[in-house]
């Protein structure tokens, strides 16, 4: 069995995996990080999105063995150091951007990826970037609102810091 | 998934050496992994190409954009070089799958797989690209040989694709409502080699060049010159659209691509 | 001014914190030490005689602990159906056994044949492939019309004609309806299909069975909307386990939309196998399996006729419907096309005569049951589509035609000719509101702007009504329900003033943990922070019926109010003792007890403390403690209603329909948390718009599911949806429950499909393309086909 080491949410972890072990299985079953969810088996729904070396990736569609040495961030790594919600997370709560919560980790990870690349997206750009994240509860309305608000809050925070 | 060995190749020669009986190369895996999950394939070994540095470069020189086989769709979409030389190609790459899929999926994997609804094969054919493989170079016109069939030899891998820079080009995709793959995608270019019109998604024979449109556009490169729908014989018919509908869309998407050039 | 606490405040959801940090506890997150994994071998053919299942080779595979087949379940019951429907001729519906694992025959692709329990899921699946199944294939019965034609194979021997029941409603009106239609000035007829949908909550189903040898107790962790219902059905009817030895836990559940109401074979299997093997057994569905095993929704084929007089007054409605049951009767399947459908055929209108005939049909497809709206979307769609068609035929504005027929605001309570009595409503008001919200006056200018870009713009408007707050037990009992449909709550005020509400209702996204405390906070005059909600565990909450049919706040909330009222009543007695006053003179307001006409007061927390530290306490009159339970059984349904408007733009060259705007004016009565109510409407709208334009469940003639993954089943995505305009300011509070609430969970999915389809047809007809109807989903290909047909 290949041994794999990676950094997950800032901590170095390692484990023996089979070739067929998916990243999401490594996260959920080996590391107990059950915040990352599996909602489909065709890489369509995005409930499993995490960041790999800073890019959003569907963790159900990549092998753990392929990511030896990688840096992975999951939903469990998105809160502020003091445990309070990060800007994107807080915006989702403020704008009721989640209901059942199952797609939410993937939504937050994809939103964070978008805002890193495009700090001031238009509504259409937000919707387009969510193409690979399916939500059955919210009709996307409040998710889009939350992401737009997070963008505004982030740029506001930057202005305040400068 | 069935069990298999997983090997990370460090070079093209490593990869080719590792590919033997029932071994299969894997690049981004965005199509292959769902196939494996459904137990529709049973490789004994997967050879991971994504760690091969020589497959990860993009270069533009001498009127040619060369993209390594392991370059992701996201990297092509974001590449200033590609955007400057062939914006239609960058745009096509930026609309494959979704952002997370684009961060893993690669051009080599897409071209080697030749899914009849994939976008990249139409760009290869529509630009008259050259497919570089571990067994030598193959012209796109000779490479794609029907649904999921290519000229790629057993145990060979796609190492890159070279696209001649056209005078102008555009890609228009009409998405299948569920998968968001191309129900019909048309890549049109005008360049030194003349006009090319390549169609993906529509035909039971996979990506093809629409020669009637190429001829019409050679004389008059305008949307109004695009012929009406080609014959629906051999077009795909499924729950998302009849052969007639796809044939109709071939003409409409070609017009829109020409207009966008 | 907007409130920041209590009823009517848009309080942020407390449950979000755990969901946003990955700290939720969904069923698949539960792993019990030593647990084994289960994989179901499912039929790959739609219909066949099961001659043999040979597990010998598979049993020797690595990791295999035990393999179960139908033989192992011959001694236990089948999955029960919860609602008996009686046919027109007085005979009961045909109710064939629904075994846990197939026995004798397989009846749909996905029917479970065997279950492998192994140390790992991969080993279980490997072994399942080694099971040899001998199936003699039979002709697949897929199309409903063919199924009842008399020449089809029989899905069940008990129903040789494939008809489960033939239901007429209201049977006594049948001749009068026929006569009214025969003599009418105008009759509009419409044939339509309400296509089959898959609920697809993002969390697939999961079941973990556990058995404690020492206590003899079985525990099932499951993705359910109603754990007590599962405990009742599985314990009493399937496995024969008494309630005190069976605990069912539905922890965080990732959406349901109806599909997680029902008792499924996999739940019973994991509970059974855990006891048989003596180890926990876990099953996790993947999405592909969900498409073959979750009960699906809708699937009606209907002919509706609407008779009108020369002024457009509705005289009579007659419908004939074939309703697909699939291969077996799922838990509430039989009630959906009947009592949840026929009783809504009056809509918002005064139509005096209505007759519906519904034939429920067995086919070799996945069972069909309630999906968001359940019967009411089917009723609304046919009614609101036929009205639009009638308007076009008679040259009357579709909004005006509806207004002429609305039940007037002063006519409530209004007795419909289809059994139900609407208690309150104001349909003109919601129509006025939608005309304003959708800027109907500005539509011609927007249409012209679209036309300048070569696009056809259409406006679709409709009204809807639904019956929610399910349901009065005695009434539904008369109609064939085999369960009561009350709800329960226990309110526990602790010694230091912390309050816990244990509700039989269940949240799988609705936000109970936030909204229920708002009600208690309002009633007790305390902060929401002082109130916690416990739900989803049969061992921790009183017997409840769960969440579906937009019933949580209307029925579950009412039970909570009743229990809280008991608390206040008792607390007043304690307070009167503490303040040395007569109980009748004690008033309670804003968390403080006072004696009328004096300055004596005592706060709620002090009373609670006295109840648990009864040193100075009327022990001769009342017990110590401050905990009360109430069961609430509603006296009527609630009737949310409203008007919806959709604007679309059609690309006539490709058939693509773009939703440009969608507005909803809903009357939900009183609203506890407007933010959550609006979110519920958004989600319902997306599912309704998804049904109208995208989603479809398609079987091949051989019974293979052609839309078995998200690659072919078109789930609505973010860029398919507009921002919605929603309004709930038109409020006629429910007259018969203590909160005056009606429920909001299903409205969006019920009211939106006709608005979308009406808009598409308005667009096409405005462009001179004469099209009467396009069946859902109104996909680009179907629109293009309709345009071709109209032009040739």
């Amino acid at each position: 069995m290949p041994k794999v080491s990676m950094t997950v949410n800032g901590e170095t972890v390692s484990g023996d995996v089979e070739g067929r072990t998916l990243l999401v299985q490594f996260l959920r079953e080996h590391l107990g990080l059950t915040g990352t969810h599996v909602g489909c088996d065709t890489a369509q729904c995005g409930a499993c999105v995490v960041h790999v070396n800073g890019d959003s990736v569907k963790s159900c569609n990549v092998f753990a063995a392929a990511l030896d040495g990688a840096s992975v961030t999951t939903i469990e790594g998105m809160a502020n150091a003091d445990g309070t919600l990060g800007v994107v997370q807080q915006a989702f709560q403020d704008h009721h951007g989640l209901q059942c919560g199952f797609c939410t980790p993937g939504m937050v990870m994809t939103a964070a990826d978008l805002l890193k690349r495009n700090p001031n997206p238009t509504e259409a750009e937000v919707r387009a970037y969510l193409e690979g994240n399916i939500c059955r509860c919210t009709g996307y309305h409040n998710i889009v609102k939350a992401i737009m608000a997070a963008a505004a809050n982030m740029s506001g925070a930057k202005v305040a810091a400068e | 998934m069935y069990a298999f060995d997983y090997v990370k190749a460090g070079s093209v020669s490593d990869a080719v050496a590792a590919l033997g009986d029932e071994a299969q190369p894997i690049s981004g895996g965005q199509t292959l992994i769902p196939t494996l999950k459904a137990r529709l394939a049973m490789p004994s070994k997967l050879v991971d190409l994504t760690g091969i540095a020589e497959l990860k470069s993009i270069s533009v020189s001498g009127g040619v954009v060369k993209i390594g086989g392991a370059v992701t769709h996201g990297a092509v979409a974001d590449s200033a070089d590609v955007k400057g030389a062939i914006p239609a190609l960058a745009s096509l790459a930026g609309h494959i799958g979704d952002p997370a899929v684009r961060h893993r999926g690669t051009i080599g994997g897409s071209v080697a797989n030749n899914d009849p609804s994939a976008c990249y094969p139409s760009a290869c054919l529509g630009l008259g690209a050259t497919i570089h493989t571990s067994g030598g170079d193959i012209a796109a016109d000779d490479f794609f040989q029907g649904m999921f069939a290519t000229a790629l030899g057993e145990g060979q891998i796609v190492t890159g694709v070279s696209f001649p820079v056209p005078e102008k080009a555009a890609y228009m995709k009409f998405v299948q409502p569920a998968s968001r793959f191309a129900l019909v995608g048309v890549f049109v270019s005008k360049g030194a080699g003349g006009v090319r019109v390549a169609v993906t998604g529509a035909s039971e024979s996979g990506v093809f060049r629409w020669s009637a449109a190429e001829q019409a556009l050679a004389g008059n490169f305008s949307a109004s010159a695009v012929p009406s729908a080609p014959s629906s014989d051999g077009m795909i018919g499924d729950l998302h659209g009849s052969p007639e509908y796809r044939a109709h869309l071939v003409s409409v998407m070609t017009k829109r691509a020409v207009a966008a050039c | 001014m907007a409130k920041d606490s209590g009823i009517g405040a848009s309080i942020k959801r407390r449950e979000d914190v755990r969901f946003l940090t990955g700290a939720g506890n969904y069923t698949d997150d539960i792993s019990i030490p030593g647990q084994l994994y289960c994989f179901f071998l499912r039929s790959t053919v739609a219909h066949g005689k099961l001659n043999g299942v040979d597990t010998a080779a598979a049993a020797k595979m690595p990791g295999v602990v035990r393999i179960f087949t139908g033989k192992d379940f011959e001694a236990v019951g089948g999955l029960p159906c919860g609602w008996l429907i009686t046919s027109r001729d007085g005979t009961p519906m045909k109710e064939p056994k629904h075994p846990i694992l197939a026995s004798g025959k397989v009846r749909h692709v996905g029917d479970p044949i065997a279950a492998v329990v192994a140390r790992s899921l991969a080993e279980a699946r490997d072994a399942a492939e080694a099971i040899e199944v001998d199936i003699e294939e039979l002709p697949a019965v897929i199309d409903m019309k063919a199924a009842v034609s008399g020449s089809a194979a029989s899905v069940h021997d008990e129903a040789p004609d494939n008809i489960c029941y033939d239901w007429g409603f209201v049977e006594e009106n049948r001749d009068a309806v026929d006569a009214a239609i025969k003599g009418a000035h105008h009759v509009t007829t419409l044939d339509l299909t309400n296509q089959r949908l898959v609920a697809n909550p993002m969390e697939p189903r999961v079941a973990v069975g556990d058995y404690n040898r020492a206590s003899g107790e079985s525990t099932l962790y499951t993705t359910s909307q109603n754990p007590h219902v599962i405990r009742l059905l599985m314990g009493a009817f399937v496995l024969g386990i008494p309630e005190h030895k069976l605990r069912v836990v539905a922890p965080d559940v990732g959406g349901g939309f109806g599909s997680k109401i029902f008792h499924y074979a996999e739940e019973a299997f994991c509970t059974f196998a855990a006891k048989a093997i003596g180890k926990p057994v876990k099953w996790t569905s993947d999405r592909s399996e969900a498409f073959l095993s979750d009960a699906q929704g809708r699937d009606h084929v209907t002919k509706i006729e609407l008779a009108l007089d020369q002024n457009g007054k509705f005289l009579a409605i007659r419908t004939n419907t074939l309703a697909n049951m699939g291969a077996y009767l799922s838990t509430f399947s039989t009630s959906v096309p009947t009592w949840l459908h026929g009783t809504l055929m009056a809509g918002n209108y005064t139509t005096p005569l209505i007759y519906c005939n519904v034939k429920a049909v067995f086919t070799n497809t996945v069972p069909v049951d309630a999906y968001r709206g359940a019967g009411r979307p089917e009723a609304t769609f046919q009614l609101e589509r036929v009205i639009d068609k009638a308007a076009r035929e008679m040259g009357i504005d579709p909004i005006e035609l509806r207004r002429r027929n609305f039940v007037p605001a002063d006519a409530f309570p209004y007795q419909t000719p289809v059994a139900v009595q609407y208690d309150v409503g104001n349909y003109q008001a919601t129509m006025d509101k939608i005309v304003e919200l959708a800027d109907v006056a500005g539509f011609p200018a927007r249409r012209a702007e679209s036309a300048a870009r070569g696009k056809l713009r259409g406006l679709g408007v409709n009204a809807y009504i639904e019956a929610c707050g399910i349901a009065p037990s005695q009434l539904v009992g008369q109609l064939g329900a085999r369960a009561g449909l009350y709800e329960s709550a226990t309110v526990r005020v602790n010694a230091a003033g912390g309050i816990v509400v244990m509700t039989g209702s269940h949240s799988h996204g609705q936000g109970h943990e936030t909204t229920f405390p708002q009600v208690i906070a309002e009633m007790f005059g305390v902060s929401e922070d002082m109130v916690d909600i416990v739900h989803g565990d049969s061992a921790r909450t009183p017997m409840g019926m769960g969440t579906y049919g937009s019933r949580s706040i209307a029925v579950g909330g009412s039970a909570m109010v009743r229990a809280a009222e008991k608390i206040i009543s008792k607390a007043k007695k304690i307070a009167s003792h503490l303040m040395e006053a007569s109980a009748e003179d004690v008033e309670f307001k804003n968390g403080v007890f006072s004696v009328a006409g004096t300055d004596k007061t005592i706060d709620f927390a002090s009373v609670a403390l006295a109840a648990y530290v009864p040193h100075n306490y009327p022990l001769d009159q009342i017990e110590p403690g401050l905990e009360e339970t109430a069961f609430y059984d509603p006296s009527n349904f609630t009737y949310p209603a409203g008007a919806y408007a959709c604007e679309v733009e059609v690309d006539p060259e490709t058939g693509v329909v773009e939703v440009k705007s969608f507005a909803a004016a809903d009357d939900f009565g009183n609203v506890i948390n407007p933010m959550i109510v609006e979110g519920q409407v958004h989600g319902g709208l997306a599912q309704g718009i998804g049904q109208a334009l995208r989603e479809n469940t398609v079987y091949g003639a051989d019974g293979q599911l052609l839309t078995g993954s998200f690659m072919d089943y078109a789930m609505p995505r973010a860029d398919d949806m507009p921002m919605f305009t929603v309004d709930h300011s038109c409020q006629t509070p429910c007259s018969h429950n203590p909160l005056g609430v009606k429920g909001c969970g299903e409205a969006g999915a019920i009211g939106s499909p006709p608005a979308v389809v009406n808009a598409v047809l308005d667009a096409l007809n405005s462009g001179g393309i004469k099209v009467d109807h396009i069946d859902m989903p109104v996909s680009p290909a179907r629109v293009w086909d309709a345009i071709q047909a109209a032009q040739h």
Side-chain angles (χ1 to χ4, degrees):
Chain A
M1 263 196 242
K3 188 174 174 66
V4 62
S5 294
M6 58 181 89
T7 304
V8 177
N9 300 330
E11 287 182 31
T12 304
V13 298
S14 61
D16 295 320
V17 296
E18 288 188 276
R20 60 181 165 177
T21 302
L22 297 163
L23 174 60
V24 69
Q25 293 171 310
F26 184 66
L27 294 171
R28 288 180 58 85
E29 295 165 19
H30 292 238
L31 304 181
L33 295 172
T34 54
T36 301
H37 297 151
V38 179
C40 79
D41 41 26
T42 51
Q44 297 266 321
C45 84
C48 67
V49 169
V50 300
H51 295 174
V52 175
N53 298 330
D55 292 335
S56 59
V57 162
K58 292 186 166 172
S59 65
C60 81
N61 215 28
V62 58
F63 293 118
L67 300 181
D68 193 39
S71 174
V72 174
T73 305
T74 71
I75 189 69
E76 287 92 344
M78 294 299 281
N80 297 324
D82 64 358
T84 56
L85 297 180
V87 174
V88 177
Q89 292 168 314
Q90 187 60 57
F92 270 69
Q93 187 189 28
D94 290 347
H95 296 277
H96 191 29
L98 64 153
Q99 291 180 25
C100 83
F102 196 79
C103 77
T104 306
M107 287 287 177
V108 169
M109 300 312 286
T110 296
D113 183 48
L114 166 66
L115 296 180
K116 189 183 71 185
R117 290 155 205 277
N118 181 356
N120 291 298
T122 63
E123 183 198 326
E125 286 169 341
V126 171
R127 289 182 184 276
Y129 212 79
L130 296 178
E131 179 163 10
N133 290 78
I134 301 176
C135 171
R136 195 55 152 167
C137 292
T138 64
Y140 303 100
H141 182 107
N142 285 339
I143 292 176
V144 173
K145 262 175 75 177
I147 297 172
M148 303 288 286
N153 290 345
M154 280 177 170
S155 58
K158 269 183 220 140
V159 170
E162 277 163 7
Chain B
M1 268 182 277
Y2 297 107
F4 49 77
D5 293 331
Y6 196 86
V7 180
K8 280 193 96 163
S11 68
V12 172
S13 53
D14 272 5
V16 172
L19 285 167
D21 279 352
E22 290 174 40
Q24 196 168 342
I26 179 167
S27 193
Q30 298 303 284
T31 306
L32 179 58
I33 293 175
T35 308
L36 294 169
K37 283 188 207 170
R39 297 195 163 202
L40 298 173
M42 202 173 176
S44 61
K45 179 164 65 177
L46 287 186
V47 181
D48 183 339
L49 309 180
T50 58
I52 303 176
E54 60 195 286
L55 299 186
K56 292 177 126 168
S57 64
I58 296 174
S59 66
V60 180
S61 70
V64 172
V65 174
K66 186 175 178 190
I67 301 174
V71 175
T72 63
H73 311 323
V76 172
D78 290 346
S79 161
D81 286 343
V82 179
K83 282 196 263 194
I86 316 179
L89 185 61
S91 169
L92 174 147
H95 289 88
I96 296 172
D98 58 60
V101 165
R102 292 195 287 274
H103 289 146
R104 291 293 301 171
T106 66
I107 188 170
S110 173
V111 167
N113 189 46
N114 192 20
D115 186 298
S117 302
C119 295
Y120 261 132
S122 71
C124 296
L125 211 50
L127 287 165
T130 299
I131 316 298
H132 307 294
T133 81
S134 55
D137 292 351
I138 306 172
D141 286 335
D142 301 323
F143 184 83
F144 301 104
Q145 301 184 339
M147 282 194 184
F148 300 107
T150 69
L152 195 64
E154 195 65 36
Q156 295 176 357
I157 62 169
V158 172
T159 56
V161 183
S162 286
F163 297 93
V165 176
E167 188 186 312
K168 46 188 167 183
Y171 178 65
M172 280 290 155
K173 173 159 73 166
F174 188 95
V175 299
Q176 194 257 50
S179 70
R180 305 299 187 101
F181 275 71
L183 190 76
V184 169
V186 178
F187 198 103
V188 172
S189 77
K190 184 169 187 279
V195 173
R196 281 177 168 257
V197 177
V199 180
T200 188
S203 170
E204 289 179 333
S205 308
V207 65
F208 70 97
R209 285 174 67 183
W210 187 20
S211 49
E214 291 181 353
Q215 285 156 21
L217 290 167
N220 173 15
F221 194 80
S222 70
S224 61
V226 172
S228 58
S231 165
S232 59
D233 289 350
M235 295 288 180
I236 297 169
D238 61 18
L239 56 99
H240 303 293
S242 62
E244 292 74 21
Y245 184 54
R246 280 187 169 80
H248 169 74
L249 287 178
V250 168
S251 174
V252 174
M253 291 297 114
T254 304
K255 279 181 197 157
R256 292 183 182 183
V258 170
C261 272
Chain C
M1 205 180 87
K3 291 176 75 175
D4 59 5
S5 163
I7 292 173
S10 284
I11 294 174
K12 292 176 201 169
R13 299 202 325 169
R14 59 175 71 178
E15 44 272 79
D16 290 0
V17 175
R18 69 175 186 272
F19 296 143
L20 283 163
T21 54
N25 184 36
Y26 298 89
T27 310
D28 194 41
D29 301 341
I30 294 170
S31 284
I32 304 172
Q35 79 186 5
L36 303 172
Y37 296 84
C38 166
F39 182 82
F40 288 92
L41 177 68
R42 296 180 182 275
S43 178
T44 56
V45 304
H47 195 195
K49 199 160 163 254
L50 188 56
N51 289 328
V53 184
D54 183 351
T55 60
K60 294 182 190 129
M61 301 270 290
V64 173
V65 175
R66 191 165 158 190
I67 301 176
F68 296 80
T69 67
K71 281 197 171 43
D72 295 296
F73 289 88
E74 279 169 1
V76 307
L79 298 171
C81 178
W83 206 301
L84 172 70
I85 301 298
T86 303
S87 285
R88 292 170 52 208
D89 63 6
T91 59
M93 67 185 190
K94 307 290 177 19
E95 201 173 351
K97 187 176 178 181
H98 184 179
I100 305 300
L101 295 175
S103 177
K105 265 175 107 176
V106 290
R107 293 188 176 84
H108 67 89
V109 173
D111 209 357
I113 295 169
V116 183
V117 178
R119 285 180 321 213
S120 75
L121 180 58
E123 287 170 320
R125 192 165 176 180
D126 288 341
E129 291 187 2
I131 296 173
E132 289 184 33
V133 180
D134 177 7
I135 294 179
E136 180 184 335
E137 230 175 304
L138 297 168
V141 181
I142 304 301
D143 177 75
M144 279 197 285
K145 284 181 179 163
V148 299
S149 65
S151 56
S154 301
V155 177
H156 294 280
D157 293 344
E158 295 89 336
D161 56 2
N162 293 317
I163 293 176
C164 172
Y165 56 73
D166 176 357
W167 182 77
F169 183 68
V170 173
E171 197 59 25
E172 298 75 46
N173 288 350
R174 185 185 177 94
D175 294 340
V177 168
D178 288 350
I181 287 175
K182 203 170 175 189
H185 167 78
H186 186 87
V187 178
T188 297
T189 303
L190 185 58
D191 287 287
L192 56 85
T193 295
N194 202 296
Q195 83 273 30
R196 184 183 290 225
L197 302 175
V198 179
N200 278 323
M202 293 319 298
E203 179 202 31
R205 287 191 298 118
V206 182
V208 186
D210 191 17
Y211 180 68
N212 184 327
R213 281 205 190 287
S215 66
E217 187 189 46
S218 292
T219 302
L220 169 69
Y221 301 89
T222 184
T223 47
S224 175
Q225 301 175 215
N226 31 243
H228 283 99
V229 175
I230 303 306
R231 187 183 67 165
L232 175 66
L233 296 177
M234 185 172 77
F237 298 97
V238 184
L239 300 180
I241 307 173
E243 281 101 329
H244 67 293
K245 294 295 181 192
L246 178 58
R247 176 183 175 200
V248 178
V249 182
D252 287 330
V253 173
F257 315 112
S259 70
K260 291 174 181 168
I261 298 172
F262 323 122
H263 178 35
Y264 287 99
E266 297 87 357
E267 297 168 321
F269 176 81
C270 289
T271 308
F272 180 90
K275 187 173 180 181
I277 295 170
K279 285 194 171 178
V281 174
K282 182 175 192 173
W283 169 74
T284 301
S285 174
D286 60 25
R287 183 62 59 186
S288 300
E289 193 173 16
F291 271 101
L292 300 176
S293 62
D294 289 7
Q296 302 176 349
R298 316 272 194 267
D299 206 350
H300 288 193
V301 174
T302 293
K303 178 192 185 103
I304 179 168
E305 296 158 283
L306 171 65
L308 307 95
D309 73 11
Q310 63 275 20
N311 298 317
K313 281 293 274 186
F314 303 161
L315 303 174
I317 290 168
R318 181 168 62 198
T319 74
N320 281 280
T321 291
L322 293 178
N324 208 331
M325 295 287 102
Y328 302 100
L329 297 181
S330 176
T331 310
F332 287 117
S333 56
T334 51
S335 66
V336 175
T338 50
W339 300 109
L340 293 177
H341 168 243
T343 51
L344 271 298
M345 283 311 301
N348 310 56
Y349 311 103
T350 55
T351 317
L353 287 166
I354 296 173
Y355 179 74
C356 308
N357 178 249
V358 178
K359 294 184 180 71
V361 183
F362 289 114
T363 59
N364 293 120
T365 59
V366 172
V368 178
D369 206 324
Y371 165 60
R372 200 171 197 168
R376 290 150 289 169
E378 295 90 322
T380 303
F381 185 73
Q382 51 185 291
L383 189 57
E384 295 297 325
R385 281 290 303 119
V386 81
I387 292 171
D388 240 49
K389 188 174 180 221
R392 190 166 294 118
E393 287 175 355
M394 295 182 73
I396 303 173
D397 175 80
I399 295 174
E400 169 61 19
L401 181 58
R402 288 176 169 87
R403 286 188 185 278
R404 285 183 201 176
N405 288 282
F406 278 151
V407 175
D410 60 4
F412 294 92
Y414 176 76
Q415 178 61 51
T416 71
V418 279
V420 292
Q421 186 185 71
Y422 303 157
D423 61 333
V424 290
N426 188 343
Y427 311 141
Q428 298 286 3
T430 46
M431 187 59 85
D432 290 344
K433 178 57 76 174
I434 205 69
V435 166
E436 172 201 325
L437 289 178
D439 184 23
V440 171
F443 176 72
R446 295 192 294 278
R447 169 172 277 172
E449 188 276 326
S450 295
R453 289 181 285 108
K455 301 287 174 64
L456 301 171
R457 200 173 186 108
L459 171 66
V461 176
N462 65 269
Y464 81 90
I465 188 166
E466 50 171 334
C468 295
I470 291 171
S473 293
Q474 291 186 350
L475 172 62
V476 297
Q478 287 164 22
L479 304 181
R482 289 161 166 163
L485 286 166
Y486 51 81
E487 196 48 85
S488 65
T490 296
V491 177
R492 175 182 298 157
V493 181
N494 288 303
I499 299 162
V500 181
V501 178
M502 285 141 279
T503 173
S505 189
H506 185 274
S507 176
H508 28 282
Q510 295 88 345
H512 292 29
E513 292 169 37
T514 299
T515 51
F516 279 40
Q518 289 182 247
V519 175
I520 293 295
E522 180 92 22
M523 291 181 73
F524 289 176
V526 298
S527 143
E528 278 89 0
D529 297 343
M530 295 299 288
V531 189
D532 263 356
I533 300 297
V534 174
H535 66 96
D537 184 344
S538 69
R540 297 178 67 199
T541 60
M543 173 72 186
M545 295 306 291
T547 287
Y548 40 84
S550 306
R551 68 193 302 274
S552 291
I553 198 66
V555 192
S558 296
M560 178 176 64
V561 169
R562 290 285 185 252
E565 286 169 351
K566 291 186 189 177
I567 294 274
I568 291 170
S569 171
K570 180 173 180 180
K572 275 185 179 173
K573 287 179 192 156
I574 301 169
S576 72
H577 178 85
L578 295 174
M579 295 188 288
E580 297 172 334
S582 157
E584 295 81 61
D585 294 335
V586 173
E587 293 171 352
F588 180 58
K589 204 176 168 189
N590 297 329
V592 177
F593 296 89
S594 58
V595 181
T598 75
D599 58 358
K600 287 185 186 173
T601 63
I602 186 166
D603 65 15
F604 188 75
S606 302
V607 173
L609 185 65
Y612 289 94
V613 188
H615 297 161
N616 175 18
Y617 194 88
L619 286 167
D620 54 330
Q621 294 163 44
I622 48 175
E623 299 167 7
L626 201 51
E627 172 169 332
E628 297 288 348
T629 295
F631 285 69
Y632 179 82
D633 204 295
S635 60
N636 191 356
F637 293 91
T638 64
Y639 300 95
Y644 286 4
C646 177
E647 237 173 270
V648 301
E649 206 170 70
V650 178
D651 178 349
E653 211 172 21
T654 59
V656 167
V657 175
E658 185 188 348
V659 178
K660 302 299 286 187
S661 66
F662 201 105
D666 293 294
D667 175 359
F668 295 132
N670 294 333
V671 164
I672 307 300
N673 183 320
M675 175 192 81
I676 286 178
V677 165
E678 287 164 18
Q680 289 290 307
V681 176
H682 295 157
L685 293 179
Q687 290 181 2
I689 295 170
Q691 169 168 27
L693 296 178
R694 317 187 73 77
E695 299 177 39
N696 199 9
T697 311
V698 183
Y699 288 89
D702 59 357
Q704 296 296 327
L705 179 60
L706 303 179
T707 50
S709 79
F710 292 153
M711 295 294 280
D712 284 301
Y713 188 91
M715 293 286 279
R717 312 267 182 136
D719 60 359
D720 297 323
M721 291 294 142
M723 296 307 275
F724 305 112
T725 303
V726 301
D727 179 278
H728 45 81
S729 64
C730 299
Q731 298 183 346
T732 58
C734 172
S735 64
H736 56 78
N737 65 40
L739 290 167
V741 293
K742 299 182 180 178
C744 64
E746 295 163 293
I750 291 169
S752 57
V756 179
V757 178
N758 288 346
V760 173
L761 292 166
D762 180 55
L764 293 175
N765 283 283
S766 78
I769 302 162
K770 300 276 178 231
V771 181
D772 276 340
H773 181 68
I774 303 174
D775 266 329
M776 300 186 292
V778 182
S779 64
R782 285 188 177 176
V783 172
W784 186 77
D785 284 346
I787 294 172
Q788 301 313 300
Q791 290 178 341
H792 295 105

